[in-house]
Amino acid sequence: MIKNKPPFLLALLSIVIAFSTTSLSQIHANYDEYKDCSESTIALYTQSSVDSFQATYGPCDRVSQDLLITGGDITDIDGLTNLNIIGRDLLIRSNSVLTNVDGLSGILNVGRRLGISDNPVLDNLNGLSDLQEVGGTLEVLQNNALTSLSGLSS
């Protein structure tokens, strides 16, 4: 099939194939740079598990299932800054020393439920200011130091 083609057409075809191969490999490399962290629920129970999140699951920018953050020693969730999408539930529960959710500043979408409960010293939700959509339920319960929901204004 290619034998009977004029030489200039073969040269053009070679250029197109070379360009396409390079472009596809670059696109593939860029797509793989960040990926789904896990196809199952991720539960973070300690500060060290939050801090090592990307080392354990990454590099990644989305959790296709649920992300649970709950632990008595979790003081910050800055290890989660690369996350953009939570496929189902984002649950922030029973974190006795967590004062803010600034580590979630990259979150744009939560697929089903955002639940923030029983975090007694959580005093703001400003880290969620870029959140654009919660596909289902928003629950903010028993966060005694929280006096405003202004971080959820977008």
Side-chain angles (χ1 to χ4, degrees):
M1 177 178 193
I2 293 180
K3 288 194 266 186
N4 299 331
K5 302 293 180 196
F8 74 89
L9 188 57
L10 289 175
L12 179 61
L13 183 59
S14 296
I15 291 169
V16 169
I17 290 172
F19 177 74
S20 296
T21 303
T22 301
S23 297
L24 288 175
S25 64
Q26 287 172 339
I27 290 168
H28 185 57
N30 290 339
Y31 179 76
D32 284 344
E33 181 179 346
Y34 289 100
K35 61 180 177 57
D36 194 350
C37 302
S38 175
E39 293 181 9
S40 60
T41 295
I42 296 175
L44 304 174
Y45 296 109
T46 64
Q47 183 64 53
S48 65
S49 65
V50 172
D51 294 342
S52 64
F53 182 81
Q54 286 295 329
T56 303
Y57 298 101
C60 58
D61 61 357
R62 57 191 156 273
V63 175
S64 64
Q65 298 295 316
D66 304 329
L67 177 60
L68 171 64
I69 304 164
T70 183
D73 76 330
I74 297 176
T75 58
D76 69 74
I77 51 178
D78 295 345
L80 307 177
T81 56
N82 287 341
L83 291 179
N84 300 126
I85 298 169
I86 306 298
R88 292 192 337 182
D89 297 348
L90 172 56
L91 304 172
I92 306 164
R93 294 186 172 159
S94 303
N95 297 287
S96 59
V97 291
L98 183 67
T99 59
N100 65 63
V101 291
D102 293 351
L104 298 176
S105 61
I107 296 289
L108 303 172
N109 183 289
V110 176
R112 189 169 65 182
R113 178 173 52 147
L114 173 57
I116 305 169
S117 62
D118 299 311
N119 303 290
V121 296
L122 181 66
D123 63 11
N124 74 73
L125 298 176
N126 296 340
L128 293 170
S129 62
D130 286 344
L131 181 65
Q132 297 171 5
E133 180 179 5
V134 175
T137 307
L138 170 64
E139 303 169 345
V140 182
L141 304 166
Q142 299 177 343
N143 301 291
N144 297 338
L146 189 61
T147 58
S148 169
L149 298 178
S150 63
L152 298 173
S153 61
S154 64

